[in-house]
Amino acid sequence: MKKAFMKNLSFSFISNIVVLLTSALSIFILPKFMAVEEFGLYQLYLLYFSYSGLLQLGWADGIFLKYGGLQYDDIDKREIKSHFIYSLIYSALISATVAVFLILYRSFDLKNLILIVSIVITVVTTPRGILYYILQGTGRMKEYSASVILGRLFFLLSIIGLVITHKTDFILLILCELLSQLLALMLSMYNMRDIFKVRILGLREFTPSIRTSINIGFKLLVANIASQLMLGQNRYLFSFASGLL
């Protein structure tokens, strides 16, 4: 048991180092190779993306609170797969609705395009967040850390590649970010592949479980967003100073 704990701790430490390196590169190196407007647009994307989690209403957070502390083998796999599938459908519907509204009723400029992209990515990040929380809550830190490392390492190498080739376009950065999120989701699905072998529950039967997860998770979501409001001030100020807001 001690050996397993040390292995989980090691993976968590490595994943945090990779995340830290990626953040440091984005903050200290990227601005030197990007035009002010390009970097401002990328910061605007990160600002929108950091709050796009509001659209899931605490769904994933509620699942973490509900299943946290259980053993992986003891969780209801039909419920988890149902949460995953229905959150995917929900995110897709919300993204499509917002995208259509912005295209039809707002001027289609770069800022609105970035807003649409940041919301569309929730189709990946919301169901991925559910898998992340299950892995964390059930103590499978090795698998969780592996997904984080894969996603962040891909993005880190992408930034280095774009800098070397002098192609630090904000659109390419956003595309690399999307691919990194998708890779992390795919690895999480592979590590939890036993969950995807069962059938999902019917929507009418499963709706109370969704409602319960949202009810208990919304408070945690609000707390997380409040902390992001403080941490995201630099992006807001940069975007404002660049005339993007």
Side-chain angles (χ1 to χ4, degrees):
M1 187 173 182
K2 183 178 179 181
K3 185 178 180 181
F5 172 77
M6 293 304 298
K7 184 179 290 187
N8 287 335
L9 187 63
S10 299
F11 271 94
S12 297
F13 178 76
I14 294 171
S15 67
N16 287 331
I17 291 295
V18 173
V19 170
L20 181 62
L21 286 174
T22 306
S23 299
L25 196 62
S26 300
I27 295 171
F28 298 112
I29 304 299
L30 269 181
K32 297 181 180 180
F33 295 90
M34 297 182 72
V36 173
E37 184 178 0
E38 287 279 328
F39 187 69
L41 289 168
Y42 178 61
Q43 290 297 307
L44 183 62
Y45 159 75
L46 293 178
L47 180 68
Y48 287 156
F49 177 71
S50 64
Y51 298 121
S52 63
L54 279 169
L55 295 175
Q56 55 106 354
L57 304 176
W59 193 337
D61 303 87
I63 292 172
F64 177 69
L65 293 174
K66 181 178 179 181
Y67 290 99
L70 296 178
Q71 294 296 315
Y72 182 79
D73 292 335
D74 295 334
I75 62 175
D76 188 328
K77 292 178 173 56
R78 288 191 70 190
E79 272 208 6
I80 300 304
K81 183 179 179 180
S82 300
H83 278 299
F84 179 90
I85 297 298
Y86 289 126
S87 70
L88 179 63
I89 295 172
Y90 167 80
S91 299
L93 290 175
I94 291 294
S95 299
T97 301
V98 173
V100 169
F101 175 81
L102 290 175
I103 291 172
L104 293 179
Y105 298 102
R106 296 283 297 274
S107 58
F108 193 71
D109 54 16
L110 278 177
K111 288 186 287 186
N112 282 331
L113 175 61
I114 291 171
L115 178 59
I116 291 172
V117 171
S118 66
I119 293 174
V120 168
I121 289 181
T122 62
V123 176
V124 175
T125 57
T126 298
R128 187 215 61 189
I130 289 175
L131 300 187
Y132 270 15
Y133 277 145
I134 291 297
L135 290 172
Q136 283 181 292
T138 57
R140 297 185 65 181
M141 296 304 298
K142 177 182 175 181
E143 290 83 357
Y144 164 74
S145 299
S147 296
V148 174
I149 291 170
L150 176 64
R152 291 298 85 191
L153 189 59
F154 174 85
F155 189 58
L156 177 64
L157 295 175
S158 297
I159 292 176
I160 294 173
L162 291 175
V163 168
I164 291 174
T165 57
H166 303 286
K167 294 182 179 180
T168 49
D169 184 273
F170 82 96
I171 294 178
L172 290 177
L173 283 171
I174 293 175
L175 179 60
C176 290
E177 175 69 29
L178 173 59
L179 290 175
S180 72
Q181 300 283 356
L182 189 58
L183 282 173
L185 171 63
M186 292 172 64
L187 182 56
S188 297
M189 291 177 66
Y190 175 78
N191 285 329
M192 301 174 67
R193 55 192 178 276
D194 56 320
I195 284 177
F196 297 96
K197 295 177 181 178
V198 299
R199 296 179 59 184
I200 66 171
L201 298 166
L203 180 58
R204 181 178 298 181
E205 176 187 1
F206 194 62
T207 297
S209 182
I210 296 174
R211 189 182 299 116
T212 299
S213 295
I214 292 175
N215 286 340
I216 63 178
F218 187 74
K219 298 180 182 66
L220 181 57
L221 173 67
V222 171
N224 290 334
I225 293 297
S227 65
Q228 288 180 10
L229 281 170
M230 293 183 287
L231 295 174
Q233 288 304 308
N234 62 322
R235 290 169 184 160
Y236 178 82
L237 292 173
F238 190 96
S239 298
F240 184 79
S242 303
L244 298 173
L245 287 177

